[in-house]
Amino acid sequence: MFVKRLILIALKKVRSNSVRILPKSFPYVLGCLLFSWNIHADSWSWSGAYLIQPETLEYSGPVQIQVKDGLVEKISSSTASKEPLFILPGFCDSHVTLGANSLGGWKDRTELESDLKQFLLHGFTHIQSIADPPWASELSEIRKKNSQYPRISVLPPVLLAESKEISASKSSGYKILKSPEEAMASLSGKRGKIHLFLRHNEGETFEVDGKLLYRMRSEAEKNGLELSVSTFGEEFANWEALSSETKVLYHPIPETSSIRPVAHNLVKQIWAPLFGIYFTRKGIGTSSFAEEWEKWTQWSPTFKERALSKEVLSTLPALSESEREEAEKEYDSYLAFLRARKNLTLRILLGSGAGHQLQFPGISGWKELRILSELLGPKEALRAATETTCQYLGAAHEGKIRVGKPAHLLIFREDPLQNWDKLKTLRTVVTERVKTEISSPEKKKTERRRR
């Protein structure tokens, strides 16, 4: 497959004060993660706004919406405004890796703080992190206790069959399986969710095949455990995940003759395609990708402040000509699979893959939203980023805006459903009792001049 298999063992130890030392200094680090621009208050209201309605994803308005004590207190009719606001529910991302810094290295404290801010400043109020060391669970619990956002859901160490590729790994983000017995035992005595990297490596003495995966899925269900699988776009891995009816799948599925007979099982499954990872990987080193990168920096002023320069992008290792041809063919196949199955729209999760190569927090979620919109339409893409993914992650607002329910609001100056470029007009993020204001580029220029 053309996509480099990005797993944590390949990451470099790029800083001495890396995230591995977090457990020894957690109180200090978590204190740093409080956002200095958060404004605490008991109540807020906005008038002349257009509000996305649950289920229909149609706007109602103009309305006045009032928030008090972290809840949506009232929604009532309002007079029109010359500068109307457009209000969407907070976004959710089902697949990130907090321990990786999107450049092939471990995160340090500053990067962790910056990444969490980036998620929030792009409207992501809930994220699920995969393949992280135990400190991620501690971070999740403390943030929940302190009502900090974005809220983090974490999974136990990822299950992964032993191979030569990972033999030297000491990462605590994985549980290495050496036999079918160990694979089955890994599902005992647990509740909640557990994740498997389903990969095929020729010449290995053990791998999780379709029969074993089916047994694992059945055992997990019997124990009240939800098993999810990353297939890395591999045809055989996808076939086995689909055949076994594993509940949750991550990574794209190719449109091939062998996949078609089992593709109907997806109506029983939930799927996050993670197209953005593959779009990015195939383009690295090309002039068209450099142009696309520049568009992303214009799309997101927040991302622009930390984006790599064109000069740095040009130094990244690119695919060979033959590899790129294969990459383009495979990527088109991935898009074709979903394009031919729009009946799956209610089962699509948004997953950005932030932490994979050049998949940066926040902007990668926006990119995934745009790709899904091109395939399914803007409403269904929005549904994936809100109702479907937020309910899957157990977000309190369930990806909806309703009276009496927790307030997780994204307030835009322009309507993003008309054009996803309008996501850059996000100005306010409400996460229950906290309101985070986002400075516009114009406002920042004014502040600089005053200094």
Side-chain angles (χ1 to χ4, degrees), residues 105-289:
W106 296 104
K107 281 198 187 91
D108 66 12
R109 300 171 187 169
T110 302
E111 287 175 309
L112 179 59
E113 177 187 358
S114 177
D115 280 1
L116 291 171
K117 288 181 181 179
Q118 286 285 313
F119 282 117
L120 191 65
L121 295 179
H122 285 85
F124 288 90
T125 62
H126 293 76
I127 58 177
Q128 178 171 263
S129 192
I130 294 173
D132 277 320
W135 61 259
S137 296
E138 189 175 350
L139 175 63
S140 173
E141 289 301 316
I142 294 177
R143 291 180 71 81
K144 183 177 181 181
K145 181 180 179 180
N146 295 338
S147 298
Q148 291 177 274
Y149 287 89
R151 187 63 52 79
I152 303 168
S153 300
V154 295
L155 297 179
V158 168
L159 305 179
L160 181 63
E162 184 180 40
S163 67
K164 297 173 184 177
E165 183 182 36
I166 57 141
S167 59
S169 173
K170 296 181 180 180
S171 171
S172 56
Y174 302 100
K175 179 177 177 58
I176 308 303
L177 308 176
K178 299 181 180 181
S179 68
E181 292 74 23
E182 284 192 8
M184 297 302 295
S186 68
L187 305 171
S188 300
K190 294 183 177 66
R191 292 281 179 178
K193 299 178 181 179
I194 196 163
H195 192 72
L196 170 70
F197 279 2
L198 190 62
R199 300 149 57 84
H200 294 285
N201 295 303
E202 293 185 7
E204 299 295 343
T205 58
F206 169 68
E207 67 177 11
V208 178
D209 60 15
K211 292 181 180 179
L212 178 55
L213 180 60
Y214 181 84
R215 290 173 56 204
M216 293 175 69
R217 192 268 295 174
S218 300
E219 181 69 15
E221 290 182 355
K222 185 175 69 175
N223 295 335
L225 185 64
E226 178 187 277
L227 177 65
S228 58
V229 170
S230 285
T231 63
F232 300 93
E234 294 182 359
E235 183 174 355
F236 292 122
N238 273 300
W239 189 93
E240 290 165 347
L242 288 165
S243 299
S244 67
E245 298 183 12
T246 303
K247 184 174 180 180
V248 186
L249 277 63
Y250 290 98
H251 291 268
I253 301 172
E255 178 67 19
T256 64
S257 57
S258 64
I259 291 291
R260 291 187 191 111
V262 293
H264 65 276
N265 285 342
L266 264 177
V267 299
K268 308 173 188 176
Q269 298 166 295
I270 305 172
W271 175 40
L274 276 71
F275 289 126
I277 296 174
Y278 297 76
F279 175 86
T280 300
R281 184 69 188 99
K282 72 183 179 66
I284 294 174
T286 65
S287 58
S288 60
F289 181 76

Side-chain angles (χ1 to χ4, degrees), residues 17 30 65 80 97 112 121 161 179 184 193 206 233 244 251 267 284 299 305 319 330 338 345-346 352 393 403 410:
N17 60 338
L30 292 173
I65 179 171
T97 301
L112 179 59
L121 295 179
S179 68
M184 297 302 295
K193 299 178 181 179
F206 169 68
S244 67
H251 291 268
V267 299
I284 294 174
W299 183 18
E305 295 179 356
L319 301 175
E330 289 182 356
L338 180 54
T345 54
L346 297 179
S352 71
L393 296 186
V403 173
L410 309 181

